[in-house]
Amino acid sequence: MGKEASRWQTRAAGYAKDEAALQTKLSRAEQSEADAAERRRKSEQQRADRRAAAERAQLESRISGAEVAVSHALRQLPAPKPEKLRVLMLGASAEGDLRVGREQKRIRAAVESALHRDQIELDVRPAATTADLLDGITKFRPHVVHFSGHSNDDLIVFEDEADEPHEGVIVTARAFARAISATDDPPLLVLLNSCRSAAQIDDLVAQVVPFAIGMADSIEDADAINYAAQFYAAVANGQSINSSHLSGQAALELAGLESADLPTLAWAPDVDPSATILVSPEG
């Protein structure tokens, strides 16, 4: 019995040793598998990181390219020079039925009460003739040309050199545009504060100036005067062309007038009226 017990004890010890060896191998196998899984995970993470980095770089490149394209697409209008904003104001009422003088007075008062009143120069020409138009364009070299009087879809009416009421001088929209462009320093803005003149502004911005404003239909004297006065007040306060236009429209609506939508702003496709300021604080 003693020998048999000894044999079984020896066998048991062998089994225990084999079990320990197997356990060690199993642990090593499990660790090896875990290490391999970790390496695979890290490798996949690195590939994912590289893909994400490449996608970010590609996206940033596209964004940068788009910004450059937009920058080049928009016309680089000159910043306001250290000179006054010159506004040529042409008023014509050959038959004496429009309050052109009142409009010019209101505009002057609005400018003189604004923040940057010293940075705007007005060349006011009542009873304006075609000679005043050409002389004003070539001599005064205006940044803004403002006309108040009679017009329609394709013509503007100036005055003649006559002291008595008369029918006026009819100028086609094409001839007016040619006169505006007959200068080495063309204006930035034309404002036609006259009936149904909005039909002319698309051609003006396509061929002559970057910005133009006209009236979409017939407009009453008082409405036209209120819009113009508020528009130039906002310009003289350093607002953009778009904000000044919206301010003029708001003035009509706040006054209870029904013509707030008649003033119409047009601009060339390569400029931004919201970013164009005619009067800078530095002057």
Side-chain angles (χ1 to χ4, degrees):
M1 290 292 295
K3 288 181 180 182
E4 188 68 20
S6 177
R7 281 199 306 271
W8 282 109
Q9 189 173 7
T10 300
R11 287 182 181 179
Y15 293 151
K17 184 177 180 180
D18 292 341
E19 182 180 3
L22 289 172
Q23 187 64 41
T24 300
K25 289 180 179 180
L26 179 60
S27 298
R28 288 176 179 173
E30 290 175 346
Q31 184 61 47
S32 177
E33 184 177 353
D35 292 343
E38 179 64 16
R39 285 193 298 272
R40 287 194 300 272
R41 187 193 67 78
K42 288 182 177 180
S43 178
E44 291 173 357
Q45 184 63 48
Q46 288 174 351
R47 286 196 296 270
D49 290 343
R50 286 195 295 270
R51 284 196 301 270
E55 290 172 357
R56 283 196 303 271
Q58 187 177 17
L59 178 60
E60 290 171 359
S61 177
R62 287 200 301 268
I63 292 174
S64 177
E67 290 174 346
V68 170
V70 170
S71 176
H72 286 296
L74 289 178
R75 189 187 316 183
Q76 296 300 310
L77 294 175
K81 298 178 181 178
E83 62 179 351
K84 293 182 178 181
L85 177 75
R86 295 184 295 274
V87 181
L88 176 62
M89 295 183 59
L90 304 167
S93 180
E95 297 180 358
D97 56 338
L98 297 178
R99 303 198 66 194
V100 172
R102 175 64 177 171
E103 178 179 340
Q104 293 173 341
K105 181 179 179 179
R106 285 281 308 279
I107 291 173
R108 185 182 294 278
V111 169
E112 289 178 349
S113 63
L115 287 174
H116 310 305
R117 54 186 174 273
D118 296 332
Q119 298 177 31
I120 296 185
E121 182 178 357
L122 302 177
D123 184 349
V124 180
R125 304 197 182 201
T129 64
T130 55
D132 287 312
L133 170 62
L134 288 175
D135 182 69
I137 290 292
T138 58
K139 183 188 296 181
F140 187 57
R141 294 177 295 111
H143 304 101
V144 178
V145 174
H146 177 103
F147 174 83
S148 54
H150 286 294
S151 67
N152 65 21
D153 294 355
D154 56 5
L155 62 83
I156 295 173
V157 183
F158 281 81
E159 294 199 23
D160 204 347
E161 290 291 358
D163 294 332
E164 67 280 352
H166 56 282
E167 292 184 356
V169 176
I170 294 177
V171 175
T172 65
R174 179 175 179 272
F176 177 77
R178 290 188 67 179
I180 294 294
S181 62
T183 172
D184 293 328
D185 299 304
L188 291 174
L189 168 68
V190 170
L191 198 165
L192 299 176
N193 204 19
S194 51
C195 294
R196 296 189 294 277
S197 53
Q200 303 182 29
I201 61 178
D202 287 339
D203 287 340
L204 283 173
V205 299
Q207 303 171 17
V208 185
V209 293
F211 305 98
I213 295 173
M215 303 299 139
D217 205 337
S218 297
I219 185 167
E220 297 294 328
D221 253 9
D223 301 18
I225 291 170
N226 280 329
Y227 171 81
Q230 183 56 42
F231 175 82
Y232 285 106
V235 166
N237 281 323
Q239 296 296 309
S240 69
I241 290 177
N242 188 60
S243 292
S244 299
H245 168 63
L246 295 176
S247 184
Q249 288 183 315
L252 297 180
E253 192 160 6
L254 289 171
L257 303 173
E258 297 181 355
S259 55
D261 293 330
L262 294 184
T264 304
L265 170 63
W267 60 93
D270 55 351
V271 295
D272 182 1
S274 298
T276 304
I277 298 174
L278 298 176
V279 175
S280 66
E282 292 78 13

